[in-house]
Amino acid sequence: MNPNLTRLRRSMMFLNAQKPSLIKDPYIYKPDSIMLDLEDAVAENQKDAARYSLYHALKEIDYRGVERVVRINGLETPHWKEDIRVCVAGRCDSIRISKTESAADVLAVEAEMKKAEEEFGVEHGSILIMAALESCKGVMNAYEICTASPLLFGCALSGGDYTKDLQTKITGTGVELMGARQSMIIAARAAGKQCFDTVFTNLDDMEGFRKEVEMIKMMGFDGKSIVNPRQIAVTHEVFTPTEKEIIFAEKVVKEVDDKKAKGIGVFTVDGKMIDIAFYPGAKRTIEMAKAAGVYEGDL
Ligand SMILES: CC(=O)SCCNC(=O)CCNC(=O)[C@H](O)C(C)(C)COP(=O)(O)OP(=O)(O)OC[C@H]1O[C@@H](n2cnc3c(N)ncnc32)[C@H](O)[C@@H]1OP(=O)(O)O
Ligand SMILES: O=C([O-])CC(=O)C(=O)O
Ligand SMILES: [Mg+2]
């Protein structure tokens, strides 16, 4: 299994694949993933230039462990097949399909990846896929999209295009995105996949940004698409377990193991009732803390 399928992706930062000032060293900000964009950040008459710049960035820059996702143009455009060839030739880590509407879209991308992998001698399975859902149809088909391919690690809501399709707009209240967020996280979890929230474009409203990140964390999301380095610290703070949470999770894991051996099913930890149902959540907190580099215990 490709270990990247389940890697930590709290922050996934977009940047224009054509802009040298952005692609040369984004790893200094330490996002979990960068998303080199060939789609909407690149003007229609600059697609070739962006692919050329992307290829050289992938080949020559050491991104120091930051995941290199490339957002390709949608399947309704003339660009996506050539985008995939460049992604594979440059050996990116993952491909983000924009405007995904169905399982067939994912399978079409995978088939095109296979062709390019044969052409460039790249092992099938080494490059993963994620799907951006940007329309009502895409959101309605979230489960079939999430289960379309074993190479697909998750889906992401793309709120700008989605709200256009819904015939509303981003209001800042979250009301217009509520249904999509809820149905996507349920679909992704039912499929055993990760789920990511859409960008927050008002760079000066850090309080609003924090509130949104806190809300999507509570809903169960794994992370958020972001557009600027100043959004990274808050995202990581919210998505990294606190010391208090880690200590409690450790106690739960150890106590459940200990009590199970003694034949005890229900007991208390720090005044809270605990039984086996709390075990997976506590384990997940420890795994998240390990992946985020903040775990110092012995589990
Ligand atoms: C709806 C959608 O489709 S979203 C996806 C497509 N959109 C994008 O890709 C946009 C990504 N973001 C950006 O291009 C920029 O952040 C902008 C245009 C929004 C704002 O740019 P700026 O006003 O220059 O931002 P800011 O002043 O905060 O930049 C500070 C530093 O961070 C760098 N930076 C800003 N955004 C990014 C980014 N996304 N990735 C890497 N570095 C970045 C700047 O180059 C600058 O570096 P410097 O200090 O060495 O000069
Ligand atoms: O994926 C995102 O969040 C950005 C995007 O394309 C959209 O909002 O339409
Ligand atoms: Mg979009």
Side-chain angles (χ1 to χ4, degrees):
M1 193 180 86
N2 185 326
N4 280 345
L5 280 165
T6 55
R7 68 182 276 162
L8 185 74
R9 295 182 173 96
R10 298 164 298 184
S11 57
M12 305 190 81
M13 185 167 76
F14 275 116
L15 43 112
N16 181 337
Q18 197 195 354
K19 255 188 140 177
S21 61
L22 299 182
I23 59 179
K24 70 180 194 313
D25 55 7
Y27 51 83
I28 59 177
Y29 304 111
K30 297 189 166 60
D32 291 328
S33 310
I34 52 165
M35 298 195 291
L36 297 142
D37 191 20
L38 293 173
E39 202 220 10
D40 285 355
V42 176
E44 187 62 24
N45 64 1
Q46 295 295 312
K47 300 291 185 187
D48 283 330
R51 280 194 285 263
Y52 181 80
S53 152
L54 170 75
Y55 175 76
H56 288 283
L58 290 172
K59 280 302 218 194
E60 285 152 31
I61 300 171
D62 175 5
Y63 285 100
R64 322 222 173 156
V66 173
E67 183 185 30
R68 301 153 316 146
V69 182
V70 178
R71 177 165 79 164
I72 62 168
N73 288 280
L75 276 65
E76 75 291 356
T77 72
H79 306 300
W80 66 280
K81 291 185 181 175
E82 194 55 24
D83 292 349
I84 290 174
R85 279 189 76 237
V86 175
C87 289
V88 173
R91 292 172 162 72
C92 69
D93 298 308
S94 308
I95 289 176
R96 177 176 174 122
I97 313 171
S98 53
K99 302 185 172 64
T100 319
E101 300 233 297
S102 63
D105 288 352
V106 177
L107 294 175
V109 166
E110 194 178 344
E112 214 54 38
M113 285 167 70
K114 267 192 190 148
K115 275 197 226 163
E117 285 159 356
E118 275 163 29
E119 182 181 352
F120 297 106
V122 174
E123 188 192 340
H124 185 61
S126 60
I127 301 177
L128 299 179
I129 302 172
M130 71 179 292
L133 312 190
E134 315 204 28
S135 65
C136 298
K137 189 173 169 195
V139 171
M140 288 297 291
N141 290 338
Y143 182 71
E144 71 160 56
I145 290 168
C146 283
T147 49
S149 165
L151 296 185
L152 185 139
F153 66 77
C155 64
L157 175 61
S158 292
D161 280 297
Y162 167 74
T163 48
K164 263 193 273 163
D165 195 34
L166 203 60
Q167 297 181 11
T168 178
K169 60 180 180 182
I170 301 282
T171 62
T173 63
V175 167
E176 68 286 355
L177 297 178
M178 212 183 276
R181 281 179 169 142
Q182 195 68 73
S183 46
M184 280 179 61
I185 184 71
I186 294 170
R189 290 291 181 247
K193 302 293 168 93
Q194 295 183 337
C195 194
F196 307 94
D197 192 43
T198 187
V199 296
F200 187 92
T201 54
N202 186 351
L203 297 181
D204 294 327
D205 181 10
M206 286 310 290
E207 202 183 315
F209 179 72
R210 177 182 283 276
K211 279 199 185 127
E212 184 160 290
V213 182
E214 286 172 348
M215 181 186 71
I216 59 138
K217 162 80 169 40
M218 283 192 276
M219 291 182 81
F221 281 81
D222 293 279
K224 189 164 176 66
S225 305
I226 60 169
V227 287
N228 188 277
R230 81 182 82 151
Q231 297 179 323
I232 295 173
V234 171
T235 309
H236 287 193
E237 189 194 316
V238 173
F239 274 100
T240 305
T242 62
E243 200 182 342
K244 206 170 149 193
E245 286 166 340
I246 297 167
I247 291 171
F248 184 71
E250 258 189 329
K251 283 187 194 167
V252 170
V253 170
K254 287 182 177 176
E255 287 288 312
V256 170
D257 285 340
D258 180 60
K259 295 285 192 300
K260 199 163 59 182
K262 293 177 180 150
I264 300 168
V266 65
F267 51 90
T268 61
V269 171
D270 295 349
K272 298 190 183 73
M273 189 213 86
I274 298 295
D275 62 18
I276 190 71
F278 291 81
Y279 196 76
K283 276 274 200 198
R284 181 168 153 75
T285 299
I286 304 287
E287 289 313 315
M288 289 266 308
K290 278 186 193 169
V294 296
Y295 185 65
E296 288 168 358
D298 55 2
L299 284 177

